[in-house]
Amino acid sequence: MKIIVITLFSVLLLGCINKKHIPLNKDIEDVVTACIINKLGNDSAARYYYKLMPPAMYKDKPILKKYYDSIESILDTAKIYIVLPDILKPLNQSEKHDVSFAIKETSIKNEFKILLQNLTQGTSEINIDLHYIQKILKYNVRANDSSFENIARIGFLEFTIPKFNAAKTKAVIYLNFYCGSKCGTGDIFILEKLNNNWIVIKDYGTWIS
């Protein structure tokens, strides 16, 4: 009896540990994260919010070293967030039109044009693990735009479901970023998996406000 109880406990414990560390859709979440970093930077959004200079402008100048250190401290403790719904949806009609227009772009390789065509044909929704994405970014990720005391919002990101090639080494995805009532952009991201990391190789702008 003791052996059975111990075995059941071990199985449950291992199940909890594995569930804690395995993202829902790792490739999808890695693609979304790569696009966020490309669009906002891992900390450039915080840098923009605080109106700070890029490090390249002062990090090699000894006279500004103290200022640089204080900026890094601010970035490490910044209380700002982005809104990223934990459900990815198919393209709407307007986005399908944007993608169809991008397919005609001669600089896009045919293998990615096929994926873009597939992007217009999705119908289902997919959940993503925001906790997994949060670990990579320096600012907070929220699933909705509820009010948070003493926390500033950078913007609202809305991703569609990405499409991959069979080997899952190439991907395309559509992003809408809203930074205000009359502020935002739309982008089609084209990515490749290099050294086990998703890299944005082309950002095709579709709209800007």
Side-chain angles (χ1 to χ4, degrees):
M1 182 67 182
K2 286 184 178 180
I3 295 174
I4 294 174
V5 172
I6 292 171
T7 302
L8 287 172
F9 178 77
S10 300
V11 170
L12 289 171
L13 181 61
L14 288 171
C16 290
I17 292 172
N18 289 336
K19 186 177 180 181
K20 182 178 179 181
H21 292 284
I22 298 176
L24 292 174
N25 297 285
K26 188 177 186 303
D27 274 308
I28 293 176
E29 287 145 8
D30 284 343
V31 163
V32 167
T33 304
C35 293
I36 293 174
I37 292 174
N38 181 275
K39 187 69 179 177
L40 302 179
N42 198 352
D43 65 3
S44 66
R47 200 173 297 282
Y48 173 78
Y49 178 77
Y50 286 105
K51 301 298 186 290
L52 305 175
M53 295 185 295
M57 293 181 65
Y58 52 78
K59 68 178 182 179
D60 296 326
K61 298 178 175 62
I63 195 170
L64 295 176
K65 181 68 168 60
K66 185 176 180 180
Y67 178 59
Y68 174 73
D69 289 342
S70 66
I71 285 178
E72 290 303 304
S73 177
I74 290 173
L75 290 175
D76 289 341
T77 58
K79 289 189 175 182
I80 57 178
Y81 72 98
I82 58 173
V83 177
L84 177 64
D86 56 3
I87 297 178
L88 305 186
K89 298 182 178 181
L91 273 67
N92 59 36
Q93 286 303 120
S94 176
E95 292 162 349
K96 287 180 180 180
H97 179 270
D98 292 337
V99 171
S100 296
F101 188 80
I103 292 173
K104 300 175 183 177
E105 175 65 48
T106 56
S107 64
I108 298 177
K109 295 180 180 178
N110 286 335
E111 56 191 334
F112 288 111
K113 289 184 178 182
I114 293 171
L115 295 181
L116 288 172
Q117 186 62 49
N118 293 340
L119 193 64
T120 66
Q121 298 170 0
T123 57
S124 59
E125 297 181 350
I126 292 178
N127 288 91
I128 55 172
D129 187 347
L130 297 187
H131 294 291
Y132 174 77
I133 294 173
Q134 170 73 75
K135 292 177 182 178
I136 303 171
L137 301 173
K138 285 191 175 181
Y139 34 83
N140 294 311
V141 179
R142 308 287 186 186
N144 56 62
D145 206 11
S146 301
S147 61
F148 296 93
E149 188 176 356
N150 298 323
I151 300 180
R153 187 188 81 163
I154 299 169
F156 183 97
L157 295 128
E158 185 179 64
F159 283 94
T160 63
I161 300 168
K163 290 295 180 179
F164 299 89
N165 64 346
K168 286 208 168 181
T169 56
K170 294 176 172 53
V172 295
I173 193 170
Y174 194 109
L175 162 68
N176 291 307
F177 172 61
Y178 305 98
C179 44
S181 59
K182 295 182 179 179
C183 170
T185 59
D187 299 89
I188 297 168
F189 287 103
I190 295 175
L191 304 95
E192 280 197 66
K193 198 172 190 178
L194 305 170
N195 298 321
N196 211 34
N197 293 310
W198 284 102
I199 306 296
V200 175
I201 61 171
K202 185 174 179 62
D203 175 1
Y204 188 92
T206 58
W207 64 271
I208 187 168
S209 176

